Amino acid sequence: MSRVAVVTGGTRGIGEAISVTLKKAGYKVAANYAGNDERAKQCADKHGIACFKWDVADFDQCLKGVAEVVAKLGPVDVLVNNAGITRDATLKKQTRKQWDEVVDTNLGGCFNMCKAVWDGMLERGFGRIVNIGSINGQAGQYGQVNYAAAKSGIHGFTKALAQEGAPKGITVNAIAPGYIDTDMVAAVPPNVLEKIVARIPVGRLGKAEEIARGVMFLVADDAGFLTGSTMSINGGQHMY
Ligand code: NDP
């Protein structure tokens, strides 16, 4: 019996690579997204992945969305909390709205989605949750107090929930990607990006597939002793 995986923000960027890699490995995949119907359709047509639209920042939508996935694909065994946004500005210029949007989506979304799948995982005595954090949650980044706070929160959330899941067969881990070549990074001004790449020992941006590889390692059925950890996949940037 193949396991069911939900990947939030699973229709493009890192999430798409995770969805595709899980599908190739035999998982039944539900890729969630927020509003970009065109990219979701492309993802569905190209890879044959079931796509589901809801806002992870909205608690009720998450419950409804997961119920729909369960009805179509079956109970959720694997959850990858990948959906994330940036609304960069220095604290001086950052608005309360920019703070709320990022914290509600990147951290609140993780809470909402874990709540939506948790009881089912407890009942079945099995679950794999992977939360996508960020190197900027570990190290901070100029102009990203909202994003760094939310991503740093992901790492604490992961360690706390891992303790609740450990005796119940549910593992909870995080991945902290470095800079990965996706739409999100394409929004960084070229002169800033040049300086960022210069600080990556591997000498290039990461590929979305390189994050998916880490997810596969963490969600494996035989990875039950691996919980509460953060896997840094960043081209060696953490060595600075
Ligand atoms: P992209 O911007 O390329 O894709 C984001 C995905 O998340 C899209 O599918 C988008 O849906 C979805 N999404 C955004 N907001 C919501 C929401 N409220 N509800 C549901 N889905 C939502 O991002 P990346 O692939 O670059 O990033 C993926 C994750 O990795 C994020 O959490 C990001 O913070 C993290 N990360 C990325 C790094 C990078 O260098 N790229 C580095 C470190 C961490 P839609 O298409 O509908 O907009």
PDB file of all heavy atoms in Angstrom, residues 91 100 194:
ATOM      1  N   LEU A  91      13.224  46.717   9.457  1.00  0.00           N
ATOM      2  CA  LEU A  91      12.238  46.955  10.524  1.00  0.00           C
ATOM      3  C   LEU A  91      11.667  48.371  10.417  1.00  0.00           C
ATOM      4  O   LEU A  91      10.477  48.595  10.618  1.00  0.00           O
ATOM      5  CB  LEU A  91      12.877  46.746  11.905  1.00  0.00           C
ATOM      6  CG  LEU A  91      11.898  46.945  13.060  1.00  0.00           C
ATOM      7  CD1 LEU A  91      10.838  45.849  13.081  1.00  0.00           C
ATOM      8  CD2 LEU A  91      12.631  46.998  14.389  1.00  0.00           C
ATOM      9  N   ASP A 100       2.600  40.170   9.710  1.00  0.00           N
ATOM     10  CA  ASP A 100       1.522  39.183   9.907  1.00  0.00           C
ATOM     11  C   ASP A 100       1.452  38.175   8.761  1.00  0.00           C
ATOM     12  O   ASP A 100       1.291  36.975   9.002  1.00  0.00           O
ATOM     13  CB  ASP A 100       0.158  39.890  10.033  1.00  0.00           C
ATOM     14  CG  ASP A 100      -0.005  40.583  11.380  1.00  0.00           C
ATOM     15  OD1 ASP A 100       0.728  40.226  12.329  1.00  0.00           O
ATOM     16  OD2 ASP A 100      -0.852  41.487  11.489  1.00  0.00           O
ATOM     17  N   GLU A 194      24.522  38.191  -6.236  1.00  0.00           N
ATOM     18  CA  GLU A 194      25.950  37.960  -6.559  1.00  0.00           C
ATOM     19  C   GLU A 194      26.772  37.841  -5.278  1.00  0.00           C
ATOM     20  O   GLU A 194      27.605  36.950  -5.130  1.00  0.00           O
ATOM     21  CB  GLU A 194      26.427  39.155  -7.377  1.00  0.00           C
ATOM     22  CG  GLU A 194      27.560  38.843  -8.334  1.00  0.00           C
ATOM     23  CD  GLU A 194      27.853  40.074  -9.178  1.00  0.00           C
ATOM     24  OE1 GLU A 194      27.020  40.424 -10.056  1.00  0.00           O
ATOM     25  OE2 GLU A 194      28.885  40.691  -8.917  1.00  0.00           O
TER      26      GLU A 194
END
